[in-house]
Amino acid sequence: MSTDGCCTALIRKLQHFEKPSDEDKELLANSVARTVELIAGSDIIEQGDKPDHVHLLVEGWAGRYKILPNGRRNIMAYLIPGDLCDVNVALLEEMDHSIGALSGCKVALIPIATIRNLMDQNRTLARALWWGTLVDEAVLREWLVTVGSRPALQRVGHLICEMLIRTEAVGLARGNSFDLPLTQQELADTMGMSLVHMNRTLQGLRSRELITTNGHTVTVENPRALMKFAAFDPLYLHQQAHKFRSLMQAVA
Amino acid sequence: MSTDGCCTALIRKLQHFEKPSDEDKELLANSVARTVELIAGSDIIEQGDKPDHVHLLVEGWAGRYKILPNGRRNIMAYLIPGDLCDVNVALLEEMDHSIGALSGCKVALIPIATIRNLMDQNRTLARALWWGTLVDEAVLREWLVTVGSRPALQRVGHLICEMLIRTEAVGLARGNSFDLPLTQQELADTMGMSLVHMNRTLQGLRSRELITTNGHTVTVENPRALMKFAAFDPLYLHQQAHKFRSLMQAVA
DNA sequence: CGCTTAGTTGACTCTTCTCAAAAGCAGTGG
DNA sequence: CCACTGCTTTTGAGAAGAGTCAACTAAGCG
């Protein structure tokens, strides 16, 4: 049973929308054809591909990215366990961007036909998966605001707030800490800033005692303080408020 | 028949994906319950709303936006005739952003139940509308890249390329010209830059003879030159290539 | 013609980028 | 165990891009 547990993160995420029944969970678990392991830096899907499987990220972090003609790489989204990489591209002629493994990753493959059947036959799951794509879009909008309008310190602070909540939603956070398996270069490519400036911005957040880091583990000692600092409003993540109330009140 | 012609732009847009039959067109046209006119500056939907109609923009430009606590407004998307404002929010608890009329607008209201029936009963239209939302998302990703990684001149140039193609796709361009009913302040709020810098950037594009403006009409004398300058690749708009080949070859 | 809004300009400040080099850290082979 | 290598993080310093403030011009409107 190499596909055991592939869907725990996904199921955990979907619960923030609507609790799936045991039957739903089983359906999901059975839909995984096989799993693949990738090393950091390899591509899960490349621009121009027309995948015949939907990719579900089971372990590790991945990112949507594009490379500009001037050589600059831009990361447009982070994918963490429980995220589907490409439910949405079944319709489009080809991928207009690539998805790369940012850390070592484990990916579950679900045949498109299986997903389609599943969504036809199961109203709850169909709505839950649909909800997931809408949240992805809302996150994208928020990132656009972040990159366009927030100063560097708030920009990075906002991202850290988001990833703390998202990792917590799939059971990957430990208290106020989570693993951020990215280099500063990758963070810079995400937030549209230079490596040097990202480095200094992180130092700024540390010196303000808003975050602490230990290797690639980030700890937010006082989530409320960071959220206030970064003007972070979790509405756009569309999780039920009570799910992360604990975080909001951590140092109430 | 006040709703006559409400759907021409939408139908024209969908043709870039798959040609709807006459019957499909009629179904769409009949789904409009009523139309509303709005003046520039008024909101079509506000953050927190849970609309019971889907809004189809028939005339004018609108924009998705958020206001940050520091008072900065950020425009995250432009909506032009043929664009649906909120197919996607039927599932979410509430709007996480507002949509405002950037110019005088005419909006058609389609009851959610009608849209739902229509998508259940008509495979072609369902897929076409679904395609529309995927393109919206692709545009959002491209804007994130633009704001994050392109220098000011390319940033604005890229936006103008996009809007030329999008207006052409719904029959609103005349040759290489289109009406851009926005103030420089609104453009600045879109691209994440200051009003003054937007003004100078537009001057830069004009002095490089990449665009000319006359009131709110923008003319791209040489689309290929501007596309090259702005590193614009229309792939992300997911229109069939032949639809805008004319533009690409304008001064071949 | 006066009023209001939008576009333009100049001067100055501050953020952010670039270049360049040093320091830290993990893996490899001798 | 240590030197070596490659990658990531950190630092310094000058240059360029972008923001702010404030004033002035242009255009639309009653």
PDB file of all heavy atoms in Angstrom, chain C residues 8-20:
ATOM      1  P    DT C   8       0.251  63.970 -19.111  1.00  0.00           P
ATOM      2  OP1  DT C   8       0.432  64.185 -20.556  1.00  0.00           O
ATOM      3  OP2  DT C   8       0.452  62.646 -18.496  1.00  0.00           O
ATOM      4  O5'  DT C   8       1.163  65.030 -18.357  1.00  0.00           O
ATOM      5  C5'  DT C   8       1.023  66.416 -18.684  1.00  0.00           C
ATOM      6  C4'  DT C   8       1.994  67.237 -17.873  1.00  0.00           C
ATOM      7  O4'  DT C   8       1.548  67.303 -16.505  1.00  0.00           O
ATOM      8  C3'  DT C   8       3.437  66.720 -17.811  1.00  0.00           C
ATOM      9  O3'  DT C   8       4.248  67.699 -18.438  1.00  0.00           O
ATOM     10  C2'  DT C   8       3.737  66.568 -16.321  1.00  0.00           C
ATOM     11  C1'  DT C   8       2.682  67.452 -15.687  1.00  0.00           C
ATOM     12  N1   DT C   8       2.236  67.116 -14.316  1.00  0.00           N
ATOM     13  C2   DT C   8       2.426  68.032 -13.319  1.00  0.00           C
ATOM     14  O2   DT C   8       2.956  69.119 -13.499  1.00  0.00           O
ATOM     15  N3   DT C   8       1.968  67.650 -12.081  1.00  0.00           N
ATOM     16  C4   DT C   8       1.349  66.466 -11.759  1.00  0.00           C
ATOM     17  O4   DT C   8       0.979  66.238 -10.611  1.00  0.00           O
ATOM     18  C5   DT C   8       1.188  65.535 -12.838  1.00  0.00           C
ATOM     19  C7   DT C   8       0.527  64.209 -12.594  1.00  0.00           C
ATOM     20  C6   DT C   8       1.630  65.901 -14.059  1.00  0.00           C
ATOM     21  P    DT C   9       5.757  67.438 -18.735  1.00  0.00           P
ATOM     22  OP1  DT C   9       6.085  68.227 -19.925  1.00  0.00           O
ATOM     23  OP2  DT C   9       5.997  65.987 -18.714  1.00  0.00           O
ATOM     24  O5'  DT C   9       6.483  68.081 -17.485  1.00  0.00           O
ATOM     25  C5'  DT C   9       6.277  69.463 -17.202  1.00  0.00           C
ATOM     26  C4'  DT C   9       6.945  69.831 -15.895  1.00  0.00           C
ATOM     27  O4'  DT C   9       6.142  69.367 -14.795  1.00  0.00           O
ATOM     28  C3'  DT C   9       8.330  69.229 -15.668  1.00  0.00           C
ATOM     29  O3'  DT C   9       9.279  70.280 -15.757  1.00  0.00           O
ATOM     30  C2'  DT C   9       8.282  68.631 -14.260  1.00  0.00           C
ATOM     31  C1'  DT C   9       6.996  69.180 -13.698  1.00  0.00           C
ATOM     32  N1   DT C   9       6.280  68.249 -12.782  1.00  0.00           N
ATOM     33  C2   DT C   9       5.965  68.684 -11.514  1.00  0.00           C
ATOM     34  O2   DT C   9       6.237  69.791 -11.097  1.00  0.00           O
ATOM     35  N3   DT C   9       5.311  67.749 -10.758  1.00  0.00           N
ATOM     36  C4   DT C   9       4.951  66.473 -11.132  1.00  0.00           C
ATOM     37  O4   DT C   9       4.362  65.725 -10.354  1.00  0.00           O
ATOM     38  C5   DT C   9       5.318  66.086 -12.464  1.00  0.00           C
ATOM     39  C7   DT C   9       4.975  64.730 -12.971  1.00  0.00           C
ATOM     40  C6   DT C   9       5.957  66.982 -13.219  1.00  0.00           C
ATOM     41  P    DG C  10      10.806  70.084 -15.569  1.00  0.00           P
ATOM     42  OP1  DG C  10      11.417  71.188 -16.330  1.00  0.00           O
ATOM     43  OP2  DG C  10      11.161  68.679 -15.854  1.00  0.00           O
ATOM     44  O5'  DG C  10      11.037  70.359 -14.023  1.00  0.00           O
ATOM     45  C5'  DG C  10      10.535  71.550 -13.430  1.00  0.00           C
ATOM     46  C4'  DG C  10      11.021  71.665 -12.006  1.00  0.00           C
ATOM     47  O4'  DG C  10      10.150  70.890 -11.148  1.00  0.00           O
ATOM     48  C3'  DG C  10      12.434  71.125 -11.767  1.00  0.00           C
ATOM     49  O3'  DG C  10      13.120  72.032 -10.906  1.00  0.00           O
ATOM     50  C2'  DG C  10      12.217  69.776 -11.116  1.00  0.00           C
ATOM     51  C1'  DG C  10      10.900  69.984 -10.366  1.00  0.00           C
ATOM     52  N9   DG C  10      10.080  68.787 -10.204  1.00  0.00           N
ATOM     53  C8   DG C  10       9.854  67.803 -11.138  1.00  0.00           C
ATOM     54  N7   DG C  10       9.059  66.855 -10.707  1.00  0.00           N
ATOM     55  C5   DG C  10       8.738  67.250  -9.416  1.00  0.00           C
ATOM     56  C6   DG C  10       7.917  66.614  -8.445  1.00  0.00           C
ATOM     57  O6   DG C  10       7.278  65.568  -8.550  1.00  0.00           O
ATOM     58  N1   DG C  10       7.866  67.345  -7.259  1.00  0.00           N
ATOM     59  C2   DG C  10       8.527  68.528  -7.034  1.00  0.00           C
ATOM     60  N2   DG C  10       8.361  69.072  -5.831  1.00  0.00           N
ATOM     61  N3   DG C  10       9.303  69.120  -7.928  1.00  0.00           N
ATOM     62  C4   DG C  10       9.363  68.427  -9.087  1.00  0.00           C
ATOM     63  P    DA C  11      14.601  71.786 -10.441  1.00  0.00           P
ATOM     64  OP1  DA C  11      15.245  73.116 -10.368  1.00  0.00           O
ATOM     65  OP2  DA C  11      15.198  70.705 -11.255  1.00  0.00           O
ATOM     66  O5'  DA C  11      14.399  71.257  -8.960  1.00  0.00           O
ATOM     67  C5'  DA C  11      13.531  71.958  -8.064  1.00  0.00           C
ATOM     68  C4'  DA C  11      13.614  71.300  -6.691  1.00  0.00           C
ATOM     69  O4'  DA C  11      12.735  70.159  -6.664  1.00  0.00           O
ATOM     70  C3'  DA C  11      15.012  70.773  -6.345  1.00  0.00           C
ATOM     71  O3'  DA C  11      15.242  71.025  -4.967  1.00  0.00           O
ATOM     72  C2'  DA C  11      14.924  69.301  -6.668  1.00  0.00           C
ATOM     73  C1'  DA C  11      13.468  69.003  -6.293  1.00  0.00           C
ATOM     74  N9   DA C  11      12.868  67.862  -6.977  1.00  0.00           N
ATOM     75  C8   DA C  11      13.133  67.407  -8.242  1.00  0.00           C
ATOM     76  N7   DA C  11      12.424  66.350  -8.581  1.00  0.00           N
ATOM     77  C5   DA C  11      11.634  66.117  -7.474  1.00  0.00           C
ATOM     78  C6   DA C  11      10.658  65.147  -7.197  1.00  0.00           C
ATOM     79  N6   DA C  11      10.304  64.196  -8.067  1.00  0.00           N
ATOM     80  N1   DA C  11      10.062  65.190  -5.991  1.00  0.00           N
ATOM     81  C2   DA C  11      10.425  66.138  -5.114  1.00  0.00           C
ATOM     82  N3   DA C  11      11.327  67.111  -5.268  1.00  0.00           N
ATOM     83  C4   DA C  11      11.897  67.033  -6.474  1.00  0.00           C
ATOM     84  P    DC C  12      16.650  70.701  -4.319  1.00  0.00           P
ATOM     85  OP1  DC C  12      17.017  71.859  -3.479  1.00  0.00           O
ATOM     86  OP2  DC C  12      17.563  70.186  -5.361  1.00  0.00           O
ATOM     87  O5'  DC C  12      16.270  69.503  -3.355  1.00  0.00           O
ATOM     88  C5'  DC C  12      15.148  69.645  -2.484  1.00  0.00           C
ATOM     89  C4'  DC C  12      14.780  68.274  -1.936  1.00  0.00           C
ATOM     90  O4'  DC C  12      14.177  67.484  -2.973  1.00  0.00           O
ATOM     91  C3'  DC C  12      15.972  67.472  -1.416  1.00  0.00           C
ATOM     92  O3'  DC C  12      15.742  67.167  -0.046  1.00  0.00           O
ATOM     93  C2'  DC C  12      16.015  66.235  -2.301  1.00  0.00           C
ATOM     94  C1'  DC C  12      14.568  66.142  -2.777  1.00  0.00           C
ATOM     95  N1   DC C  12      14.390  65.383  -4.041  1.00  0.00           N
ATOM     96  C2   DC C  12      13.388  64.416  -4.097  1.00  0.00           C
ATOM     97  O2   DC C  12      12.680  64.233  -3.109  1.00  0.00           O
ATOM     98  N3   DC C  12      13.222  63.705  -5.242  1.00  0.00           N
ATOM     99  C4   DC C  12      14.000  63.940  -6.282  1.00  0.00           C
ATOM    100  N4   DC C  12      13.789  63.217  -7.379  1.00  0.00           N
ATOM    101  C5   DC C  12      15.029  64.925  -6.250  1.00  0.00           C
ATOM    102  C6   DC C  12      15.190  65.621  -5.117  1.00  0.00           C
ATOM    103  P    DT C  13      16.808  66.276   0.752  1.00  0.00           P
ATOM    104  OP1  DT C  13      16.995  66.935   2.058  1.00  0.00           O
ATOM    105  OP2  DT C  13      17.963  65.967  -0.133  1.00  0.00           O
ATOM    106  O5'  DT C  13      15.992  64.934   0.970  1.00  0.00           O
ATOM    107  C5'  DT C  13      14.579  64.988   1.233  1.00  0.00           C
ATOM    108  C4'  DT C  13      14.062  63.564   1.373  1.00  0.00           C
ATOM    109  O4'  DT C  13      13.843  63.002   0.064  1.00  0.00           O
ATOM    110  C3'  DT C  13      15.007  62.620   2.099  1.00  0.00           C
ATOM    111  O3'  DT C  13      14.234  61.884   3.040  1.00  0.00           O
ATOM    112  C2'  DT C  13      15.596  61.740   1.003  1.00  0.00           C
ATOM    113  C1'  DT C  13      14.488  61.749  -0.038  1.00  0.00           C
ATOM    114  N1   DT C  13      14.932  61.627  -1.458  1.00  0.00           N
ATOM    115  C2   DT C  13      14.248  60.766  -2.274  1.00  0.00           C
ATOM    116  O2   DT C  13      13.317  60.078  -1.896  1.00  0.00           O
ATOM    117  N3   DT C  13      14.707  60.730  -3.573  1.00  0.00           N
ATOM    118  C4   DT C  13      15.744  61.454  -4.110  1.00  0.00           C
ATOM    119  O4   DT C  13      16.053  61.349  -5.276  1.00  0.00           O
ATOM    120  C5   DT C  13      16.420  62.340  -3.189  1.00  0.00           C
ATOM    121  C7   DT C  13      17.568  63.168  -3.670  1.00  0.00           C
ATOM    122  C6   DT C  13      15.990  62.381  -1.916  1.00  0.00           C
ATOM    123  P    DC C  14      14.919  60.843   4.047  1.00  0.00           P
ATOM    124  OP1  DC C  14      14.230  60.973   5.344  1.00  0.00           O
ATOM    125  OP2  DC C  14      16.394  60.935   3.938  1.00  0.00           O
ATOM    126  O5'  DC C  14      14.476  59.458   3.407  1.00  0.00           O
ATOM    127  C5'  DC C  14      13.119  59.293   2.993  1.00  0.00           C
ATOM    128  C4'  DC C  14      13.006  57.970   2.270  1.00  0.00           C
ATOM    129  O4'  DC C  14      13.521  58.110   0.932  1.00  0.00           O
ATOM    130  C3'  DC C  14      13.814  56.844   2.927  1.00  0.00           C
ATOM    131  O3'  DC C  14      12.967  55.719   2.964  1.00  0.00           O
ATOM    132  C2'  DC C  14      15.008  56.666   2.006  1.00  0.00           C
ATOM    133  C1'  DC C  14      14.398  57.046   0.656  1.00  0.00           C
ATOM    134  N1   DC C  14      15.348  57.500  -0.399  1.00  0.00           N
ATOM    135  C2   DC C  14      15.138  57.104  -1.725  1.00  0.00           C
ATOM    136  O2   DC C  14      14.185  56.369  -1.989  1.00  0.00           O
ATOM    137  N3   DC C  14      15.997  57.532  -2.682  1.00  0.00           N
ATOM    138  C4   DC C  14      17.016  58.321  -2.348  1.00  0.00           C
ATOM    139  N4   DC C  14      17.825  58.724  -3.332  1.00  0.00           N
ATOM    140  C5   DC C  14      17.244  58.736  -1.006  1.00  0.00           C
ATOM    141  C6   DC C  14      16.400  58.311  -0.062  1.00  0.00           C
ATOM    142  P    DT C  15      13.395  54.370   3.749  1.00  0.00           P
ATOM    143  OP1  DT C  15      12.486  54.196   4.883  1.00  0.00           O
ATOM    144  OP2  DT C  15      14.863  54.363   3.935  1.00  0.00           O
ATOM    145  O5'  DT C  15      13.029  53.268   2.665  1.00  0.00           O
ATOM    146  C5'  DT C  15      11.943  53.507   1.794  1.00  0.00           C
ATOM    147  C4'  DT C  15      12.144  52.764   0.494  1.00  0.00           C
ATOM    148  O4'  DT C  15      13.166  53.395  -0.309  1.00  0.00           O
ATOM    149  C3'  DT C  15      12.556  51.301   0.651  1.00  0.00           C
ATOM    150  O3'  DT C  15      11.664  50.565  -0.141  1.00  0.00           O
ATOM    151  C2'  DT C  15      14.002  51.270   0.156  1.00  0.00           C
ATOM    152  C1'  DT C  15      14.034  52.415  -0.845  1.00  0.00           C
ATOM    153  N1   DT C  15      15.347  53.086  -1.078  1.00  0.00           N
ATOM    154  C2   DT C  15      15.832  53.154  -2.363  1.00  0.00           C
ATOM    155  O2   DT C  15      15.275  52.678  -3.327  1.00  0.00           O
ATOM    156  N3   DT C  15      17.028  53.835  -2.481  1.00  0.00           N
ATOM    157  C4   DT C  15      17.749  54.423  -1.477  1.00  0.00           C
ATOM    158  O4   DT C  15      18.802  55.008  -1.710  1.00  0.00           O
ATOM    159  C5   DT C  15      17.183  54.300  -0.145  1.00  0.00           C
ATOM    160  C7   DT C  15      17.903  54.901   1.016  1.00  0.00           C
ATOM    161  C6   DT C  15      16.024  53.651  -0.009  1.00  0.00           C
ATOM    162  P    DT C  16      11.592  48.962  -0.090  1.00  0.00           P
ATOM    163  OP1  DT C  16      10.253  48.566  -0.560  1.00  0.00           O
ATOM    164  OP2  DT C  16      12.095  48.523   1.222  1.00  0.00           O
ATOM    165  O5'  DT C  16      12.646  48.555  -1.216  1.00  0.00           O
ATOM    166  C5'  DT C  16      12.375  48.915  -2.557  1.00  0.00           C
ATOM    167  C4'  DT C  16      13.586  48.641  -3.410  1.00  0.00           C
ATOM    168  O4'  DT C  16      14.636  49.581  -3.116  1.00  0.00           O
ATOM    169  C3'  DT C  16      14.205  47.247  -3.214  1.00  0.00           C
ATOM    170  O3'  DT C  16      14.065  46.552  -4.441  1.00  0.00           O
ATOM    171  C2'  DT C  16      15.653  47.529  -2.810  1.00  0.00           C
ATOM    172  C1'  DT C  16      15.858  48.939  -3.363  1.00  0.00           C
ATOM    173  N1   DT C  16      16.921  49.746  -2.708  1.00  0.00           N
ATOM    174  C2   DT C  16      17.863  50.390  -3.494  1.00  0.00           C
ATOM    175  O2   DT C  16      17.877  50.323  -4.701  1.00  0.00           O
ATOM    176  N3   DT C  16      18.805  51.110  -2.799  1.00  0.00           N
ATOM    177  C4   DT C  16      18.888  51.246  -1.430  1.00  0.00           C
ATOM    178  O4   DT C  16      19.776  51.923  -0.927  1.00  0.00           O
ATOM    179  C5   DT C  16      17.879  50.556  -0.665  1.00  0.00           C
ATOM    180  C7   DT C  16      17.890  50.632   0.834  1.00  0.00           C
ATOM    181  C6   DT C  16      16.951  49.846  -1.328  1.00  0.00           C
ATOM    182  P    DC C  17      14.883  45.260  -4.827  1.00  0.00           P
ATOM    183  OP1  DC C  17      14.067  44.489  -5.779  1.00  0.00           O
ATOM    184  OP2  DC C  17      15.356  44.638  -3.584  1.00  0.00           O
ATOM    185  O5'  DC C  17      16.115  45.855  -5.632  1.00  0.00           O
ATOM    186  C5'  DC C  17      15.859  46.646  -6.795  1.00  0.00           C
ATOM    187  C4'  DC C  17      17.145  46.843  -7.576  1.00  0.00           C
ATOM    188  O4'  DC C  17      18.020  47.694  -6.810  1.00  0.00           O
ATOM    189  C3'  DC C  17      17.916  45.558  -7.854  1.00  0.00           C
ATOM    190  O3'  DC C  17      18.345  45.549  -9.206  1.00  0.00           O
ATOM    191  C2'  DC C  17      19.076  45.608  -6.873  1.00  0.00           C
ATOM    192  C1'  DC C  17      19.290  47.094  -6.672  1.00  0.00           C
ATOM    193  N1   DC C  17      19.792  47.458  -5.319  1.00  0.00           N
ATOM    194  C2   DC C  17      20.906  48.303  -5.191  1.00  0.00           C
ATOM    195  O2   DC C  17      21.472  48.721  -6.207  1.00  0.00           O
ATOM    196  N3   DC C  17      21.340  48.637  -3.959  1.00  0.00           N
ATOM    197  C4   DC C  17      20.704  48.176  -2.878  1.00  0.00           C
ATOM    198  N4   DC C  17      21.164  48.548  -1.681  1.00  0.00           N
ATOM    199  C5   DC C  17      19.570  47.326  -2.983  1.00  0.00           C
ATOM    200  C6   DC C  17      19.146  46.989  -4.213  1.00  0.00           C
ATOM    201  P    DT C  18      19.080  44.231  -9.774  1.00  0.00           P
ATOM    202  OP1  DT C  18      18.578  44.060 -11.152  1.00  0.00           O
ATOM    203  OP2  DT C  18      18.975  43.136  -8.795  1.00  0.00           O
ATOM    204  O5'  DT C  18      20.615  44.655  -9.840  1.00  0.00           O
ATOM    205  C5'  DT C  18      20.974  45.977 -10.163  1.00  0.00           C
ATOM    206  C4'  DT C  18      22.475  46.134 -10.003  1.00  0.00           C
ATOM    207  O4'  DT C  18      22.777  46.576  -8.657  1.00  0.00           O
ATOM    208  C3'  DT C  18      23.284  44.858 -10.236  1.00  0.00           C
ATOM    209  O3'  DT C  18      24.359  45.156 -11.106  1.00  0.00           O
ATOM    210  C2'  DT C  18      23.778  44.468  -8.852  1.00  0.00           C
ATOM    211  C1'  DT C  18      23.825  45.805  -8.130  1.00  0.00           C
ATOM    212  N1   DT C  18      23.591  45.753  -6.661  1.00  0.00           N
ATOM    213  C2   DT C  18      24.365  46.543  -5.826  1.00  0.00           C
ATOM    214  O2   DT C  18      25.235  47.270  -6.230  1.00  0.00           O
ATOM    215  N3   DT C  18      24.059  46.437  -4.494  1.00  0.00           N
ATOM    216  C4   DT C  18      23.092  45.630  -3.926  1.00  0.00           C
ATOM    217  O4   DT C  18      22.913  45.626  -2.720  1.00  0.00           O
ATOM    218  C5   DT C  18      22.334  44.829  -4.851  1.00  0.00           C
ATOM    219  C7   DT C  18      21.260  43.929  -4.322  1.00  0.00           C
ATOM    220  C6   DT C  18      22.608  44.926  -6.156  1.00  0.00           C
ATOM    221  P    DC C  19      25.277  44.002 -11.728  1.00  0.00           P
ATOM    222  OP1  DC C  19      25.517  44.388 -13.140  1.00  0.00           O
ATOM    223  OP2  DC C  19      24.714  42.681 -11.396  1.00  0.00           O
ATOM    224  O5'  DC C  19      26.633  44.197 -10.923  1.00  0.00           O
ATOM    225  C5'  DC C  19      27.140  45.509 -10.730  1.00  0.00           C
ATOM    226  C4'  DC C  19      28.278  45.478  -9.731  1.00  0.00           C
ATOM    227  O4'  DC C  19      27.736  45.487  -8.388  1.00  0.00           O
ATOM    228  C3'  DC C  19      29.179  44.243  -9.823  1.00  0.00           C
ATOM    229  O3'  DC C  19      30.520  44.678  -9.792  1.00  0.00           O
ATOM    230  C2'  DC C  19      28.793  43.420  -8.602  1.00  0.00           C
ATOM    231  C1'  DC C  19      28.423  44.527  -7.620  1.00  0.00           C
ATOM    232  N1   DC C  19      27.525  44.135  -6.507  1.00  0.00           N
ATOM    233  C2   DC C  19      27.709  44.721  -5.243  1.00  0.00           C
ATOM    234  O2   DC C  19      28.608  45.548  -5.088  1.00  0.00           O
ATOM    235  N3   DC C  19      26.886  44.363  -4.233  1.00  0.00           N
ATOM    236  C4   DC C  19      25.926  43.471  -4.439  1.00  0.00           C
ATOM    237  N4   DC C  19      25.144  43.157  -3.408  1.00  0.00           N
ATOM    238  C5   DC C  19      25.727  42.860  -5.719  1.00  0.00           C
ATOM    239  C6   DC C  19      26.545  43.220  -6.716  1.00  0.00           C
ATOM    240  P    DA C  20      31.721  43.655 -10.060  1.00  0.00           P
ATOM    241  OP1  DA C  20      32.704  44.426 -10.846  1.00  0.00           O
ATOM    242  OP2  DA C  20      31.184  42.371 -10.568  1.00  0.00           O
ATOM    243  O5'  DA C  20      32.291  43.407  -8.612  1.00  0.00           O
ATOM    244  C5'  DA C  20      32.392  44.488  -7.681  1.00  0.00           C
ATOM    245  C4'  DA C  20      32.803  43.934  -6.344  1.00  0.00           C
ATOM    246  O4'  DA C  20      31.622  43.706  -5.528  1.00  0.00           O
ATOM    247  C3'  DA C  20      33.533  42.584  -6.419  1.00  0.00           C
ATOM    248  O3'  DA C  20      34.658  42.608  -5.574  1.00  0.00           O
ATOM    249  C2'  DA C  20      32.487  41.598  -5.958  1.00  0.00           C
ATOM    250  C1'  DA C  20      31.735  42.450  -4.927  1.00  0.00           C
ATOM    251  N9   DA C  20      30.413  41.953  -4.589  1.00  0.00           N
ATOM    252  C8   DA C  20      29.522  41.298  -5.391  1.00  0.00           C
ATOM    253  N7   DA C  20      28.417  40.951  -4.780  1.00  0.00           N
ATOM    254  C5   DA C  20      28.592  41.407  -3.488  1.00  0.00           C
ATOM    255  C6   DA C  20      27.784  41.351  -2.336  1.00  0.00           C
ATOM    256  N6   DA C  20      26.579  40.779  -2.324  1.00  0.00           N
ATOM    257  N1   DA C  20      28.265  41.911  -1.205  1.00  0.00           N
ATOM    258  C2   DA C  20      29.478  42.468  -1.230  1.00  0.00           C
ATOM    259  N3   DA C  20      30.326  42.589  -2.247  1.00  0.00           N
ATOM    260  C4   DA C  20      29.817  42.031  -3.352  1.00  0.00           C
TER     261       DA C  20
END
